């Protein structure tokens, strides 16, 4: 069961974005990045009230992903990457990104807060940030 509506071209785009943002962190890191991406499409809170599709999420401006500005994002999606994207769309969650809406790669330790959001953990180079339930209850919903 998919937790967001996607087409085959959406899966391809999500796969390319997951790879471009987190390939160096392996499948787990790519899945964590994918959780953030899927969560942004699922919810209508905070920075994402009008984000309802994978392309809107990928190209959101401001607040989207830097990878869409780099040529690597535009390379052909590999089958392995598409499998990971389908797992994320099916609702597979990966700690620490289960309920995260943001991530970034700092040069040092993860700040406890980033733009007013709380750190939910780090996976390799990326820090993940999760909203409070009072600010975005739908990110905590089950599916």
């Amino acid at each position: 069961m998919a937790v967001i509506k996607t087409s085959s071209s959406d899966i391809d785009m999500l796969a390319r974005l997951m790879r471009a943002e987190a390939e160096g962190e392996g499948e787990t890191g790519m899945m964590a990045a994918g959780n953030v991406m899927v969560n942004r499409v699922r919810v209508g809170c905070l920075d994402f009230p009008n984000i309802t599709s994978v392309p809107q999420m990928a190209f959101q401006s401001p607040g989207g992903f830097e990878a869409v500005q780099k040529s690597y994002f535009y390379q052909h999606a590999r089958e392995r990457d598409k499998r990971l994207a389908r797992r994320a769309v099916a609702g597979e969650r990966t700690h620490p990104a289960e309920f995260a809406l943001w991530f970034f790669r700092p040069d040092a330790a993860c700040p406890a807060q980033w733009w007013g959001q709380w750190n939910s953990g780090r996976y390799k180079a990326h820090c993940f940030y999760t909203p409070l339930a009072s600010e975005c209850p739908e990110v905590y919903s089950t599916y």
Side-chain angles (χ1 to χ4, degrees):
M1 173 180 92
V3 299
I4 61 171
K5 185 178 177 182
T6 56
S7 65
S8 61
S9 64
D10 292 335
I11 293 295
D12 184 81
M13 181 178 287
L14 180 61
R16 292 183 292 117
L17 187 57
M18 290 167 63
R19 178 188 67 208
E21 288 286 343
E23 180 177 41
E25 299 186 3
E27 289 191 8
T28 301
M30 289 172 64
M31 282 297 296
N35 284 167
V36 169
M37 296 164 190
V38 168
N39 285 342
R40 287 182 178 191
V41 176
R42 278 190 336 105
V43 304
C45 61
L46 300 168
D47 298 335
F48 315 102
N50 300 310
I51 303 300
T52 59
S53 70
V54 170
Q56 287 174 333
M57 173 273 300
F59 293 100
Q60 181 185 8
S61 181
F65 294 93
E66 291 180 21
V68 300
Q69 300 170 17
K70 310 235 188 294
S71 62
Y72 191 54
F73 168 74
Y74 294 94
Q75 293 180 7
H76 180 73
R78 297 176 296 210
E79 191 54 41
R80 177 192 87 153
D81 304 331
K82 289 191 259 188
R83 279 194 305 271
L84 290 173
R86 285 190 288 271
R87 285 171 49 193
V89 167
E92 184 176 325
R93 292 179 170 170
T94 304
H95 181 75
E98 301 98 321
F99 310 111
L101 291 174
W102 304 272
F103 65 86
F104 86 109
R105 184 180 181 152
D107 292 330
C110 297
Q113 278 194 313
W114 186 58
W115 295 98
Q117 304 303 319
W118 291 98
N119 178 257
S120 57
R122 182 180 198 128
Y123 184 78
K124 294 189 178 181
H126 285 100
C127 303
F128 292 86
Y129 291 83
T130 303
L132 297 173
S134 60
E135 295 177 323
C136 187
E138 63 259 49
V139 81
Y140 295 97
S141 66
T142 58
Y143 33 77

